[in-house]
Amino acid sequence: MTSGSQHQLRIQSWMTAAPLVRVLRALDAGSVDVRFVGGAVRNTVMGLDVGEIDLATPDVPARVIERLAGAGLKAVPTGLEHGTVMAITDGATFEITTLRRDTACDGRHAAVEFTADWHEDARRRDFTMNALSLRPDGTLFDDHGGFDDAKAGRVRFVGDAGDRIQEDYLRILRLFRFFAWYGRVPLEPATLAACRAHASGLSRLSAERIQQELVKLLSAPSPVEAITLMAACGILQQVLPGGFDVASFARLVTLEAQTGSGARDWLRRLAALLPSGESGSVADRLKLSNVDRDRLKALTQAGPFLDDHTDPLHLRRALFHLGAAPVTDRILLAWSQRQDVPSPAPWRALLAASAAWTPKTLPVSGDDVLALGVAAGPAVGRLLAAAAEWWIGAGFEPDRAQTLAHLRHLVDQSAGADNKDGSGGGPEPLAL
Ligand code: ATP
Ligand code: MG
């Protein structure tokens, strides 16, 4: 077994921030071989910003808690069965995990044993770029060629892809997630073949784990290649059982970048990826929250009602009723569904109008309708909708007095119509 190679990295500013230094002292990093692991090390090697900072130590969790408490730091046992303790100091949090070896893996969970051997800990990690560890003095330990792989943007399993996938099927999704974020060279054919061979194993994962990975994947700057490969390997079929439309998804990601409109909205990207009208089975499969489920439904259901032939009145109406963000969503989704390449100018004009929109309030309310003598009931809503339609048509210009006058006119008209044919009068509320 290789003992791996070492590199000397320059000390980074995140490594010397006061809260982290406090934690390192508490863990006695001078004499115990405490190291940074995971994303912080990978991103440092790649020259990218560092987000959360994870540490690992040969000390067992009880000892970690004892040390933190001894130094007056708060310790929260967030995942003791996995050997993880969270240290909190000055509002900053750090996960500290005891070195582990996986003893049994059933495709979902691993039984773990603690170890003091850094090589064993590296061996159980998923990708070579994620299996690096870094001492606070800048010594980087690289057992599996992760340093070169990180620099090259090569996402590669530690060990045999098929074996590692069968230990934990989530690693298939993690592969495409890390490829979407950090991949700069193609995935190896053997890796893709292993994903294809074990795609059905994804059915054993919980919805929460799948959702978490998919959200991170869809939030990558450019996830199109990863999604395309997932479709080619039969992975996407497992995650999106109701089908998918990779071409529209690809167009949406391009349009986000070209128009600079709120890029990287994972739910909007998911909506683009689904065939129109489809959202229920995905919401179930991923156990989306009610808020996400409702938004996804709205995004996939309505069809391309806003397009490059939309007249200004219709756009104003949509903005008034829905607000700017949903209208922008619908413009982008409708545009991305176009297989021809339409002239961008009308679409850009729609987006600009949406971006410039400020919310407006109709200057009359249901109380005004009641005050005009209309009995409580569906007629109130109809009359209000008719007044709103008139006000929108007039470019939101009429003030309260003018709108009230028009409302009175509508009430009179509707009373007259009621007398004639009992139809209740006024247009139906507009369907958007
Ligand atoms: P991010 O910046 O997105 O948090 P990360 O690399 O820190 O990236 P995490 O999901 O936080 O990713 O995992 C931390 C580390 O734990 C990984 O870098 C990897 O070494 C290891 N790891 C996490 N999940 C697995 C897994 N399913 N199988 C093997 N190793 C894993
Ligand atoms: Mg992390």
Side-chain angles (χ1 to χ4, degrees), residues 47-63:
L48 302 172
D49 287 347
V50 165
E52 50 185 34
I53 299 167
D54 297 329
L55 299 104
T57 176
D59 273 341
V60 295
R63 186 82 184 103

Side-chain angles (χ1 to χ4, degrees), residues 38-39 42 52 124-126 130 168 171 174 177-178:
R42 177 195 63 231
E52 50 185 34
R124 65 144 186 108
R125 293 182 183 270
D126 46 10
N130 286 350
D168 178 2
R171 289 176 187 154
R174 288 177 61 87
R177 190 241 290 190
F178 285 103

Side-chain angles (χ1 to χ4, degrees), residues 24-38:
L24 290 170
R25 280 212 193 101
L27 298 176
D28 201 7
S31 44
V32 181
D33 193 3
V34 178
R35 302 184 194 171
F36 307 114
V37 289

Side-chain angles (χ1 to χ4, degrees), residues 11-21 24 36 136:
I11 304 288
Q12 311 288 314
S13 58
W14 64 263
M15 293 161 68
T16 55
L20 177 59
V21 169
L24 290 170
F36 307 114

Side-chain angles (χ1 to χ4, degrees), residues 256-281:
E256 282 173 351
Q258 283 174 354
T259 61
S261 31
R264 294 214 215 168
D265 177 337
W266 71 269
L267 204 60
R268 186 171 67 199
R269 287 176 166 185
L270 179 59
L273 185 56
L274 298 177
S276 70
E278 157 64 26
S279 76
S281 62

